């Protein structure tokens, strides 16, 4: 069993930055981890993912060049650094994990966090 707890959300002005953290507990060795978001009235959207061993990262086109995913395996923690934030980035951000990277890329990971709210004001 894997538990994921996000933190770091909040209110920020457009153009600003936030860093989200996701602390994982349980059996997470070799798991890929990633981030998704869901804006009000919209479907949940893939943001990006990172592999365990090599730290390879993958991003949605909508955030590429602005968001960066990193992880510290020794701390079982993954981060989402968000820069140049836009009002359309406003959403609940979810951390996710799975032993198979493809599930993150296709939006079907096994484990999810509870989410943290990010609000970007114009």
């Amino acid at each position: 069993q894997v538990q994921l707890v996000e933190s770091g959300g909040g209110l920020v002005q457009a153009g600003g930055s936030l860093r989200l953290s996701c602390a994982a507990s349980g059996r997470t060795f070799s798991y890929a981890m990633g981030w998704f978001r869901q804006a009000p009235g919209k479907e949940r959207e893939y943001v990006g993912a990172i592999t365990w061993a090599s730290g390879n990262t993958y991003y949605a086109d909508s955030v590429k060049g602005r968001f960066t995913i990193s992880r510290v395996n020794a701390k079982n923690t993954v981060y989402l650094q968000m820069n140049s934030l836009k009002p359309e980035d406003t959403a609940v951000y979810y951390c996710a994990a799975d032993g198979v990277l493809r599930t993150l890329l296709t939006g079907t990971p096994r484990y999810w966090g509870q989410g943290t709210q990010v609000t970007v004001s114009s």
Side-chain angles (χ1 to χ4, degrees):
Q1 193 72 2
V2 173
Q3 293 81 41
L4 305 172
V5 178
E6 303 95 336
S7 61
L11 174 65
V12 63
Q13 288 188 332
S17 299
L18 273 178
R19 189 178 81 156
L20 306 183
S21 299
C22 173
S25 60
R27 188 185 180 281
T28 59
F29 180 76
S30 81
Y31 273 37
M33 297 182 72
W35 292 92
F36 293 77
R37 65 186 182 184
Q38 187 167 21
K42 295 187 177 181
E43 293 187 354
R44 189 152 51 190
E45 174 189 21
Y46 164 78
V47 174
I50 186 167
T51 59
W52 170 268
S54 61
N56 289 341
T57 52
Y58 306 84
Y59 298 99
D61 288 343
S62 59
V63 305
K64 200 172 293 184
R66 299 188 299 122
F67 290 12
T68 302
I69 298 175
S70 61
R71 67 188 297 168
V72 178
N73 290 340
K75 295 184 178 181
N76 280 345
T77 301
V78 64
Y79 304 95
L80 179 64
Q81 177 67 44
M82 304 184 293
N83 298 329
S84 302
L85 282 161
K86 306 174 182 179
E88 50 264 44
D89 294 317
T90 295
V92 176
Y93 282 71
Y94 297 90
C95 177
D98 198 289
V100 178
L101 172 65
R102 180 175 54 82
T103 64
L104 287 154
L105 302 180
T106 57
T108 58
R110 181 181 305 181
Y111 301 106
W112 295 88
Q114 293 300 307
T116 185
Q117 176 71 47
V118 171
T119 303
V120 184
S121 63
S122 57

